[in-house]
Amino acid sequence: LGFVIVTTIFSVSLIIWRLPLLRARTKLESAFSREAVFLYNNLLLVALALTILWGVIFPVLTQLVENQSRTMSRPYYDFFLRSFGLPLLFLMGVGPLIAWRRTSIRALVRTLRWPLGVAFVTGIALIADGAGSSVPGLIAYTFSAFVLATIVVELVRGTRVTGSLFQLVSRNRRRYGGYIVHAAIVLLAIGIAGSSSYGTTTEKKIAVGQSMTIDGYTLTNMGARTSNGPDYSAITSNLRLSGNAQGTLTSGINDFGNQGPAHDVGIHTNWARAEDLYVIANQINSDGSVYLKVLVKPLINLIWIAGFIFVFGSLVALWPDAREQKRLISRFALAKA
């Protein structure tokens, strides 16, 4: 906890100390401008990258200095992800709509009134639905709705001018390819928030024929079986899955002799609900009864979908544009002259 507090104070102090110099070098005319938002975005990204880097190399350093490895646990990463990641998510929605060079608070609020309204309504609806149990998750969902609303506003404005969404994107691929990337990051944020803040974990012992239920999934113990491989022996629990999904799952323990046992986790992916069900058999007894640890990770599959959308948006932004090439050639020809 002390290290987290010191690191946070150091990061914030560094940003405040360097802000005047960065503002002078980037010729910022106002703290409320698109250039300023890009600057804040980059500072937060650097701070987040440094904290993650320290969390990764900390075990290596402690191994070298103290001859014992100490790792940064989940609370460390959660703290900095919330401290730096949530403001980053919010700035991603502000950046496309704020004016270049300078803008007033009144003009900024007027520009963002629709996205802010959508975010407010989303937050109220989530609280009414019971999502207020996790404040960071609620904030992440609300900011995600805000960013998606800004993207929709920009697309609607541009389509009114061009008359066609395809023509709008083809005229400025870098800009709207960037919006697709923003949408992918929003899906990533929703997936992380849903799986980490609203996941469910249950542990229970069930005998053969007994069942356990978690978040609409029912697991019934159908007995255990043993098997042998070339370098291991395994005992596996067979489970029937019903409720939100139908099928079978297996989870067991593989014993590799000198290397020790390893758990074979049963995983069921429910694409319709964008969630995963994890089943871990911690102990399987000779009578077939099993101690199960079951985890439900809602919306975690959005992380995978976000990856594909991110690649697609990057391709749209990087795809060569003949008209832009001609403009660049004309610009360089004038500069040379």
Side-chain angles (χ1 to χ4, degrees):
L1 178 61
F3 173 78
V4 168
I5 295 174
V6 171
T7 306
T8 305
I9 295 175
F10 173 76
S11 301
V12 174
S13 302
L14 180 63
I15 292 173
I16 295 174
W17 175 56
R18 300 296 291 179
L19 187 57
L21 179 61
L22 290 170
R23 180 175 176 178
R25 289 185 175 180
T26 53
K27 300 180 180 179
L28 293 180
E29 297 185 12
S30 172
F32 297 98
S33 63
R34 190 172 297 187
E35 299 94 326
V37 170
F38 288 155
L39 175 60
Y40 306 149
N41 180 82
N42 291 336
L43 289 174
L44 288 170
L45 278 174
V46 170
L48 182 59
L50 289 176
T51 54
I52 294 175
L53 175 63
W54 175 251
V56 173
I57 67 174
F58 183 76
V60 179
L61 295 178
T62 55
Q63 182 68 37
L64 292 175
V65 176
E66 301 180 356
N67 200 26
Q68 59 179 356
S69 180
R70 296 182 180 181
T71 59
M72 292 296 187
S73 58
R74 175 178 172 178
Y76 169 84
Y77 293 100
D78 284 349
F79 176 83
F80 286 108
L81 181 61
R82 295 166 183 171
S83 302
F84 298 140
L86 291 177
L88 274 172
L89 186 62
F90 179 76
L91 290 177
M92 191 170 63
V94 175
L97 297 183
I98 194 171
W100 292 102
R101 300 182 65 179
R102 68 170 61 246
T103 186
S104 64
I105 300 295
R106 180 178 298 178
L108 180 61
V109 173
R110 185 170 61 252
T111 303
L112 298 176
R113 64 185 184 278
W114 285 110
L116 289 174
V118 170
F120 179 77
V121 172
T122 301
I124 297 299
L126 289 172
I127 293 175
D129 194 46
S133 58
S134 173
V135 175
L138 178 63
I139 295 174
Y141 283 162
T142 305
F143 284 0
S144 297
F146 172 74
V147 176
L148 289 177
T150 60
I151 296 174
V152 172
V153 167
E154 281 291 277
L155 292 177
V156 170
R157 286 179 179 176
T159 305
R160 286 179 178 177
V161 175
T162 61
S164 170
L165 180 61
F166 177 79
Q167 189 177 5
L168 173 68
V169 176
S170 62
R171 284 185 176 182
N172 196 338
R173 293 184 181 138
R174 285 189 298 178
R175 179 176 182 178
Y176 293 100
Y179 286 156
I180 296 174
V181 171
H182 282 188
I185 297 176
V186 169
L187 290 181
L188 175 66
I190 295 174
I192 294 175
S195 59
S196 60
S197 300
Y198 299 102
T200 305
T201 302
T202 300
E203 297 186 39
K204 187 177 181 180
K205 176 186 177 182
I206 54 175
V208 177
Q210 290 184 341
S211 302
M212 65 176 293
T213 301
I214 174 174
D215 285 358
Y217 295 96
T218 300
L219 294 167
T220 303
N221 186 0
M222 304 301 293
R225 61 182 177 84
T226 59
S227 59
N228 294 306
D231 57 349
Y232 70 92
S233 60
I235 179 169
T236 304
S237 178
N238 299 313
L239 305 165
R240 185 175 70 243
L241 178 63
S242 58
N244 288 338
Q246 305 293 326
T248 58
L249 276 178
T250 59
S251 180
I253 303 173
N254 301 327
D255 189 357
F256 291 91
N258 294 332
Q259 298 181 12
H263 290 280
D264 185 12
V265 181
I267 304 175
H268 177 80
T269 299
N270 190 335
W271 289 106
R273 300 171 60 90
E275 66 184 13
D276 280 351
L277 173 71
Y278 299 90
V279 180
I280 305 171
N282 286 324
Q283 179 180 338
I284 303 176
N285 301 318
S286 57
D287 60 356
S289 60
V290 57
Y291 287 89
L292 291 180
K293 181 178 182 179
V294 184
L295 302 90
V296 178
K297 296 292 185 179
L299 303 179
I300 195 171
N301 293 317
L302 292 182
I303 297 176
W304 294 98
I305 298 173
F308 293 108
I309 297 177
F310 188 96
V311 172
F312 174 71
S314 301
L315 292 175
V316 172
L318 295 172
W319 198 264
D321 189 345
R323 288 171 297 185
E324 185 175 355
Q325 296 294 328
K326 292 179 180 179
R327 287 195 297 265
L328 289 175
I329 292 173
S330 301
R331 187 182 306 169
F332 284 125
L334 291 173
K336 185 176 181 180

